Amino acid sequence: MLPKQLLEDNIDSLLPTIVNIVNLSLSTGSMDGVKLADISPLLKDKKLDGNSLNSYSPVSNLTYVGKLVERVVLKRLNVHMQQGNLHCPDQFAYKKNHSTETILVKIVNDLLPVGIKVRLVANPVRAKR
């Protein structure tokens, strides 16, 4: 894996190669060799026994190029979906300017005309069991 600082310091000379890798990945439809990750164990809690494997969670760090290919694909897909008016109007995930707040407003607006009472709570507190 190429360290981020090394990549940033040498971006001018590395950029043509990175562009070729991204374009090759897109033209072949393959992420072979690009979708690599370093997997490191991370101790779940400092109180746990560091000698027990059950005390660790695997954490994966994707390569910069793998993340870049994902971003390029997402950007191109969104442009295609917008230009072709292909977005489902009720889809809120992975869409620009759409969030959990947006879907909640839509749900409340859909429920109010049919007479369903909605009580919005700013900071819900879970009941104790």
Side-chain angles (χ1 to χ4, degrees):
M1 217 182 272
L2 189 63
K4 182 182 174 189
Q5 190 60 48
L6 184 63
L7 177 70
E8 288 175 355
D9 292 345
N10 298 288
I11 192 67
D12 291 334
S13 58
L14 292 173
L15 192 58
T17 303
I18 293 171
V19 169
N20 286 338
I21 292 170
V22 171
N23 287 336
L24 181 64
S25 179
L26 294 173
S27 66
T28 62
S30 171
M31 295 277 289
D32 290 344
V34 177
K35 190 77 174 184
L36 299 174
D38 284 339
I39 300 175
S40 306
L42 181 66
L43 191 60
K44 294 176 187 176
D45 191 333
K46 293 180 182 180
K47 298 174 187 172
L48 294 174
D49 178 16
N51 294 322
S52 172
L53 292 178
N54 292 334
S55 300
Y56 291 88
S57 293
V59 175
S60 64
N61 294 314
L62 294 175
T63 62
Y64 172 79
V65 176
K67 289 180 186 178
L68 183 63
V69 171
E70 287 179 352
R71 287 187 194 127
V72 169
V73 169
L74 179 61
K75 179 78 173 170
R76 288 185 179 186
L77 180 62
N78 278 330
V79 167
H80 173 74
M81 298 287 284
Q82 284 176 326
Q83 288 175 346
N85 198 25
L86 300 171
H87 277 296
C88 174
D90 293 327
Q91 178 190 342
F92 287 83
Y94 309 109
K95 282 176 71 176
K96 194 173 187 175
N97 301 321
H98 287 72
S99 65
T100 53
E101 184 177 302
T102 312
I103 187 65
L104 288 173
V105 169
K106 182 191 180 330
I107 291 170
V108 169
N109 285 339
D110 288 350
L111 294 176
L112 288 176
V114 295
I116 297 175
K117 293 184 180 182
V118 178
R119 190 181 100 197
L120 298 177
V121 179
N123 292 315
V125 178
R126 292 190 174 194
K128 293 182 181 178
R129 294 181 188 188

